[in-house]
Amino acid sequence: MTAQALDGLLLLKNDIFLRALRREPTEYTPVWLMRQAGRYLPEYCATRKRAGSFLGLAKNPAFATEVSLQPLARYELDAAILFSDILTVPDAMGLGLDFVEGEGPRFERPLRNEGDILALREPDLADLGYVFDAVGEIRRALDGRVPLIGFSGSPWTLACYMVEGGGSSDFRTVKTMLYERPDLIHRVLSVNARAVSTYLNAQIEAGAQAVMVFDTWGGALADGAFQEFSLRYIREVFAHLKTEHAGEEIPSIVFTKGGGQWMEQLADSGASGVGLDWTVNLGAARRRIGAQCALQGNLDPVILFANEAAISKAAREVIDSYSDGRHGRQAIAGHVFNLGHGISQFTPPDAVKILVDTVHAYSADLAKS
Ligand code: CP3
């Protein structure tokens, strides 16, 4: 082991999340939550107000560091995630990102015709410097408490926003283009795949200790189209990703919302872990792909609106489903507890404490017995 690697290990006080992704036996199940830094926390809303806007917050490394650490001050989470957004990449490609209050993201210059698409280029990494600065600053602020996760949108999910110009309920514009002019969509996806792998590698070099690819809209595709337009480019991203930095292994996670039926193919995409939404039976998923990949998930985020008894019962059921009647450290090995999608902005903060504490206590008991 190099001196640098030894340094990294000594600095990390809690590496249980990284060990779970390597499918090593752990003393309890690590937990973090998608969108753990966000509007359900009053302190997040206060910082956002000071920053003036969501983009003012995300583009300022000092503010981004502050909000990344906020959930860790409240809960015993086992990982931190970079505070940023998947849409910073198309913004840096010149599409002009704006967040309209109460409406979500909007691009001023979406990709609407062949000319727009032929002119599309990978971003200049210098325009994303604020992201890498935030990664470095969050690592320093964490001081080895837990690992830091970097992330990006998948090439397909980014393309959805780039062509639609914002969110959509049916992705009519991008899917119509996909059916009529697949050549144009493939061009966007190739540029995105190169941009995403370069972007994630730069996050890794800046200090991200694991990376996650959010394929939020992969599940909007028909079987067949998913493989051709989403999975193929996710594979390309992983093929170009650094798997080691400063002597340490960098694990990766892929999450296709609504992608349960394709879990074997996602497990074979090059990721170390597969994120699953709440529609999937976790025990069955472990039997199908657990020998190949770690699994992340998969509690229904809406459970956090229910009472304490219901939250802790549902959390125990996820752990029971994964461990399938077994006991000991092997029973929980390879599981990273998470929600099946991002936490809702209306979630009561106290519910998150109940969840995190239940996951730790219940899985530790199971691992011991
Ligand atoms: O997980 C974290 O805590 C890290 C930060 C993070 C954000 N967005 C912050 C954010 C991450 C990982 C994302 C990813 C992201 N962004 C995804 C993929 C994950 C998913 O949820 O499926 C997507 C699809 C986006 C695009 C995006 N960003 C949308 C659709 C919106 C609007 C959502 C809404 O409810 O208004 C955003 C804005 C956004 N990104 C917020 C946060 C905390 C809320 C903005 C605010 O403070 O007003």
Side-chain angles (χ1 to χ4, degrees), residues 1-11 244-249:
M1 193 179 297
T2 64
Q4 223 176 354
L6 193 61
D7 228 29
L9 286 180
L10 289 176
L11 284 174
E244 217 191 88
H245 179 67
E248 289 185 71
E249 193 184 321

Side-chain angles (χ1 to χ4, degrees), residues 32-39 44 48 54 81-87 99 104-105 151 157 161 214 216-217 255 341-342 345:
W32 73 278
L33 307 178
M34 291 189 265
R35 295 269 181 103
Q36 63 191 22
R39 285 167 295 184
Y44 169 85
R48 187 179 179 283
F54 171 71
I81 181 160
L82 161 70
F83 188 82
S84 189
D85 198 82
I86 63 166
L87 302 179
F99 279 88
F151 70 90
T157 293
Y161 288 98
F214 286 92
T216 306
W217 303 122
F255 170 62
H341 195 205
Q345 63 171 303

Side-chain angles (χ1 to χ4, degrees), residues 94-137:
L95 274 66
L97 177 62
D98 194 14
F99 279 88
V100 186
E101 200 59 56
E103 274 183 50
R106 280 269 158 271
F107 284 114
E108 282 161 42
R109 294 173 289 280
L111 306 176
R112 280 297 157 76
N113 54 49
E114 184 155 3
D116 294 342
I117 290 173
L118 294 180
L120 187 71
R121 296 284 177 274
E122 283 176 62
D124 183 343
L125 276 193
D127 292 329
L128 290 160
Y130 63 90
V131 176
F132 315 128
D133 290 346
V135 169
E137 205 164 318

